[in-house]
Amino acid sequence: TLVIRAVGMDRKGVSVDLEQIEREVLLNKQEYLVKTIKPEDIIDSLVTNKLVGEFAFQKFCLMTQSAIDKARLILDELKRSRPGFLQEFCDILRASRTQDHVAIELEKEFRIVSAKYGGHSGHTIASQEKEISIGEQALMQGTHVQIQAFASLYGTLQQGAVAKWKDLGLQLGLQEYDLDAISAGQKYNDKEKMSEVFEIWKQQSLKQSWNDLIVAVANTGCNPQLCEDLKERHRQNLMDTVEMKDLSNEVLLPMAPHWYDFGLSLGIDEQQLGLITPNYNNKFFRQMLQKWWQQNIAEDRTWNVVVSAVDKARLHRLAKSVYQSKLQ
């Protein structure tokens, strides 16, 4: 949550009001905001909180232009809003659940602009009083500890954050399209999944004959011709044990699109089949961290930022652990 004060002083001793600071933040971040915010997700809340007027809302509803034009209309309305609008805007972004990273960027910019004017004096405006989280403590610390090596970052987070790699990426400020590109470009293909199904079957099953395999193919009902071909080809050795090297051409490729149903037919339970795809998250997680590492200069790659992101991704225990090991 932003801690916003009503009045500040610039370096020449001239009074700088909150409205001026907030407008400067919007101006500095305008291009970022118009490309990043999702207007349709927040417009109702902006109207409810009277940050966007009724006339502007009607205009918004009639607009057929791109999301960027709608975002510009929202920003124009915010610039005309009452002092303190920035914190309300950040709260609305967070409440949308998909734009928390935008709020983080605005808060970061607010601190930069505030520091330029030598801090604030006056009363505090806050939407709610709350206990300061580990993530906020990390960002508020005077010393920001730089991460010296990517391997240190990856090794520290790997055990606790792999399954939530996408949430963490958003909290680190990566764009959603960057994260989608990671998963889309490295999808676990059906052949790989099928290979894992066979590996599990080989480990779990006492019977691994061609007969058992043919029965499983028949039970899926998805490739009757393959079933008949296998029966014909292996009628002399139906009780022989199936070897992985024998499967690649005969079964692996034809049944790959139906790997899940085939796994069930082999007697593998749903829970184990469900683990096949999430295991690939580790590669996504590593690529996400590499993307963040590449997008930020060394001075911005700090444990303070990472702890804050981990905490906001609701990995509170991991955030506390990293905080204690790296910042205390």
Side-chain angles (χ1 to χ4, degrees), residues 199-210:
E199 289 292 347
I200 295 170
W201 180 55
K202 294 286 284 182
Q203 292 165 14
Q204 284 188 350
S205 178
L206 296 175
K207 296 191 301 176
Q208 300 159 1
S209 69
W210 281 106

Side-chain angles (χ1 to χ4, degrees), residues 25-37 68 71-72 75:
V25 170
L26 279 191
L27 183 64
N28 293 349
K29 284 294 177 183
Q30 181 161 322
E31 289 310 306
Y32 166 78
L33 290 170
V34 296
K35 294 176 183 176
T36 310
I37 63 173
I68 287 180
R72 289 190 192 283
L75 295 182

Side-chain angles (χ1 to χ4, degrees), residues 131-179:
E131 184 180 346
I132 296 176
S133 68
I134 284 286
E136 289 167 325
Q137 287 179 49
L139 286 179
M140 289 166 61
Q141 285 194 352
T143 303
H144 278 219
V145 181
Q146 287 186 23
I147 305 168
Q148 298 303 318
F150 176 80
S152 175
L153 172 67
Y154 178 71
T156 301
L157 300 182
Q158 183 185 16
Q159 294 303 316
V162 169
K164 297 190 73 174
W165 68 273
K166 195 165 187 178
D167 290 341
L168 180 57
L170 289 172
Q171 298 306 330
L172 284 169
L174 295 180
Q175 302 302 312
E176 204 155 352
Y177 56 77
D178 283 332
L179 300 173

Side-chain angles (χ1 to χ4, degrees), residues 13-14 16 28 48 67 73 77 84 104 111 143 153 162-163 184 213 223 260 276-277 284 298 312 318 320:
V14 179
V16 179
N28 293 349
T48 301
L73 181 131
E77 282 292 290
I104 292 170
R111 283 191 289 272
T143 303
L153 172 67
V162 169
L213 193 68
N223 200 329
Y260 191 89
I276 288 177
T277 303
F284 296 160
K312 285 171 180 171
L318 178 61
K320 187 174 182 181

Side-chain angles (χ1 to χ4, degrees), residues 35-78:
K35 294 176 183 176
T36 310
I37 63 173
K38 299 176 181 177
E40 302 289 350
D41 291 353
I42 57 175
I43 186 63
D44 289 337
S45 296
L46 290 169
V47 173
T48 301
N49 285 270
K50 299 187 174 163
L51 295 177
V52 168
E54 286 296 331
F55 178 75
F57 177 60
Q58 290 173 15
K59 186 177 177 183
F60 180 97
C61 294
L62 294 171
M63 288 177 79
T64 56
Q65 293 97 322
S66 67
I68 287 180
D69 292 313
K70 292 183 176 181
R72 289 190 192 283
L73 181 131
I74 287 174
L75 295 182
D76 288 343
E77 282 292 290
L78 288 175

